[in-house]
Amino acid sequence: MFEHAISLTSASRQPRSLMPRRSFLIGAGATGMTLGTALGTAYTQIAAVADYSLRIAPLRLELAPGKVIQTFAYNDSVPGPVLRLREGRQVRIDIRNDTDIDDIVHWHGLYLPSEADGAMEEGSPMVERGGTQRYTFTAKPTGTRWYHSHNVAGTDLTRSLYAGLYGFLIVELASDPGRYDQEVLLAAHHWEGSWVSMQDLRRGPPPDNGLEVLYASASFNDKMLGHGEPVRVREGQRVLFRLLNASPTENVTLALAGHRLTVIALDGNPVPSPQTIDTLFLAPAERADVIVEMNRPGVWILGGIKDEDRKMGLGVVVEYANQRGEPQWVAPPTSAWDYTIFGRERPLPAPDERLDLIFEKVPGGRGGYNRWTINGKSWPATNPLFTTERGKRYRLAMSNKSGDNHPVHLHRHTFEITKVGDKATAGVMKDTVNMTRFSTVEIDFIADDPGPSLLHCHHQDHQDEGFMGLVTYL
Ligand SMILES: [Cu+2]
């Protein structure tokens, strides 16, 4: 990395807002010299070595013996390296792009300046092909966050979130109480997507519906169920599972056979009412921190509750010490997912402003691509979607007028779920909320992080096809 680590000045010397965009760039040494001359600096200095380095490059990924796919990944691993950051401490991350297209990395769930957030629509710079980009930021808030490509994939099912371009980013408290014996990080993903007209597969979807992505395989981390190392546990342990749905487009519903799951945090944020449940639902981009009491020795499957999902590879074996045998699956009792059970009853402050957002589908027809609108407009006509004033509380009354699920994500802010359908709730803080088909959800957020912020569906195809808008500040 060292030959790329020449820059004008250390990033910590100047307030971010005063730094010209180019000074974030760490290019070849010659570029640094040129900039130095242009700005009248008499010297260059070696910037401090980065705390982390990520390299975006092609990867031959063996999901199972004989099952090899060609994808892209960070540092030749899926997921990428776990980034463990201390809350409030500044971190320097160098990203090198050894692919043939410009890319960009988004730090999902963090409060960052727009130019460091990793979304080109907010003004963050791309990591140019063949180039290196340094991101310098202060990590906050604490919790299970993640990073991923925020590039446009369009119809190319090998890029952005269709690829292995994601990893965990955990912001830790300055002092971690650590009320668990072991921590296990699992990211679900779907692979080998292809565009399919649903009309060709089965009856049911409206005849004007466009192409959807179907997948041939799935994994937890880099392996299909039954391949790779099991999660090894011991009787009596309290294990913290940090679960992430990094799938480009698919929801997952998960269970650990023989065990119940105690959800203590959603999207990295502690819930007011932890609940012990049989099945966990995660839409794309959602995370859950789950504690499991290891009290049933055996060899079990943690995986998708649908047989076809586990057959595709969605799962991992959990093996107690000194236990042998075939991994067991036990179908759990199923119930509808309900965010409000994790909330509490509490009067909510009245919002300063209430905004209606209506999500609609423009069907692409058989063989075509669907488009998406927010209040009748698609990106970039949704720039701005609405404008906020710093310090005010906004209530977004969102209505999904389509037969599809939409995990709606707001960048650079945490929001509170205040209503799901007719059920009021409080205290469930998230950055992504799933809207089931033909549903309504209300969320509140405080405009406390000036700068443009994306609001979009995290379904890769939906965001690429217009389901995106920019929240701006006055
Ligand atoms: Cu969507």
Side-chain angles (χ1 to χ4, degrees):
M1 280 324 291
F2 219 58
E3 65 272 30
H4 303 293
I6 296 171
S7 83
L8 289 179
T9 120
S10 98
S12 57
R13 293 268 176 91
Q14 299 174 12
R16 291 204 71 85
S17 55
L18 299 179
M19 289 177 68
R21 167 82 63 77
R22 291 292 295 178
S23 69
F24 287 104
L25 293 172
I26 302 209
T31 309
M33 296 294 282
T34 307
L35 274 168
T37 307
L39 295 174
T41 309
Y43 60 92
T44 58
Q45 68 180 74
I46 305 294
V49 175
D51 302 292
Y52 288 96
S53 296
L54 297 177
R55 176 176 169 263
I56 313 168
L59 177 69
R60 220 178 138 269
L61 178 64
E62 190 177 88
L63 290 169
K67 182 80 164 177
V68 176
I69 62 166
Q70 197 61 47
T71 186
F72 299 93
Y74 300 116
N75 298 7
D76 304 318
S77 74
V78 172
V82 179
L83 305 183
R84 286 187 191 271
L85 311 180
R86 280 276 176 224
E87 185 192 25
R89 187 178 296 176
Q90 197 180 65
V91 63
R92 296 162 299 228
I93 305 176
D94 282 350
I95 298 164
R96 178 165 181 79
N97 181 355
D98 284 337
T99 71
D100 58 343
I101 60 166
D102 297 352
D103 208 331
I104 193 162
V105 181
H106 169 52
W107 317 99
H108 187 122
L110 277 74
Y111 305 153
L112 302 180
S114 300
E115 64 270 24
D117 189 47
M120 50 276 194
E121 297 84 357
E122 296 174 354
S124 316
M126 302 297 286
V127 187
E128 290 173 22
R129 67 192 97 171
T132 299
Q133 172 87 28
R134 173 168 291 188
Y135 287 80
T136 302
F137 57 82
T138 300
K140 64 183 175 188
T142 57
T144 307
R145 315 292 163 203
W146 65 301
Y147 61 96
H148 61 82
S149 172
H150 213 293
N151 213 353
V152 175
T155 59
D156 183 346
L157 298 179
T158 69
R159 302 288 183 171
S160 200
L161 275 168
Y162 298 115
L165 295 171
Y166 54 89
F168 282 94
L169 188 162
I170 296 169
V171 183
E172 296 181 320
L173 285 170
S175 62
D176 196 326
R179 289 152 302 173
Y180 49 85
D181 304 307
Q182 193 187 163
E183 181 189 28
V184 177
L185 276 53
L186 296 172
H189 197 262
H190 291 79
W191 305 96
E192 299 182 284
S194 55
W195 293 105
V196 175
S197 285
M198 300 303 278
Q199 294 89 341
D200 294 344
L201 294 186
R202 55 176 160 85
R203 294 166 195 276
D208 58 352
N209 193 55
L211 295 162
E212 307 279 355
V213 184
L214 290 190
Y215 301 88
S217 52
S219 67
F220 275 8
N221 298 342
D222 61 344
K223 289 285 185 272
M224 292 167 66
L225 172 60
H227 305 284
E229 292 298 303
V231 173
R232 294 199 167 84
V233 300
R234 288 191 308 277
E235 188 175 4
Q237 277 188 327
R238 280 166 65 84
V239 176
L240 171 65
F241 288 91
R242 295 190 199 260
L243 299 160
L244 158 67
N245 183 356
S247 180
T249 61
E250 294 292 291
N251 297 329
V252 298
T253 302
L254 308 175
L256 171 53
H259 298 74
R260 304 190 80 207
L261 315 169
T262 302
V263 176
I264 59 168
L266 292 174
D267 292 357
N269 308 312
V271 292
S273 309
Q275 298 290 339
T276 301
I277 57 175
D278 294 300
T279 59
L280 174 73
F281 172 89
L282 293 174
E286 288 189 305
R287 291 89 68 207
D289 292 358
V290 168
I291 294 276
V292 181
E293 308 277 352
M294 289 299 161
N295 52 16
R296 278 191 76 183
V299 182
W300 305 99
I301 292 171
L302 166 54
I305 63 165
K306 289 191 222 152
D307 292 343
E308 63 262 33
D309 283 353
R310 295 193 309 286
K311 205 172 288 176
M312 280 173 70
L314 189 69
V316 68
V317 174
V318 176
E319 185 181 285
Y320 280 70
N322 306 314
Q323 296 289 316
R324 296 277 177 280
E326 276 296 297
Q328 301 298 305
W329 176 253
V330 183
T334 56
S335 55
W337 181 251
D338 181 359
Y339 290 115
T340 68
I341 67 170
F342 304 102
R344 66 176 160 221
E345 284 184 41
R346 171 169 72 83
L348 289 161
D352 294 295
E353 202 175 332
R354 182 188 162 93
L355 298 157
D356 291 305
L357 297 179
I358 295 170
F359 307 134
E360 287 176 294
K361 184 176 196 167
V362 183
R366 189 166 174 278
Y369 295 94
N370 301 311
R371 293 281 296 168
W372 295 91
T373 61
I374 307 177
N375 292 353
K377 293 176 184 171
S378 299
W379 179 264
T382 47
N383 179 13
L385 186 60
F386 57 87
T387 300
T388 61
E389 278 181 64
R390 189 174 188 171
K392 288 195 169 174
R393 184 182 183 96
Y394 292 85
R395 181 159 300 161
L396 303 184
M398 306 189 292
S399 177
N400 175 11
K401 295 202 182 289
S402 75
D404 301 57
N405 278 252
H406 302 294
V408 178
H409 172 43
L410 177 60
H411 284 226
R412 307 177 60 250
H413 298 75
T414 302
F415 56 76
E416 180 173 7
I417 298 179
T418 49
K419 205 180 235 188
V420 178
D422 294 328
K423 276 189 182 174
T425 187
V428 178
M429 310 302 294
K430 291 179 75 25
D431 56 55
T432 306
V433 63
N434 188 58
M435 298 195 66
T436 55
R437 57 202 313 270
F438 300 106
S439 69
T440 58
V441 169
E442 293 185 8
I443 59 174
D444 284 20
F445 74 98
I446 313 277
D448 56 4
D449 197 3
S453 304
L454 269 189
L455 182 129
H456 67 92
C457 179
H458 218 280
H459 190 294
Q460 181 76 51
D461 179 39
H462 298 177
Q463 74 178 74
D464 289 345
E465 292 289 345
F467 198 144
M468 186 181 267
L470 209 54
V471 179
T472 59
Y473 280 72
L474 263 187

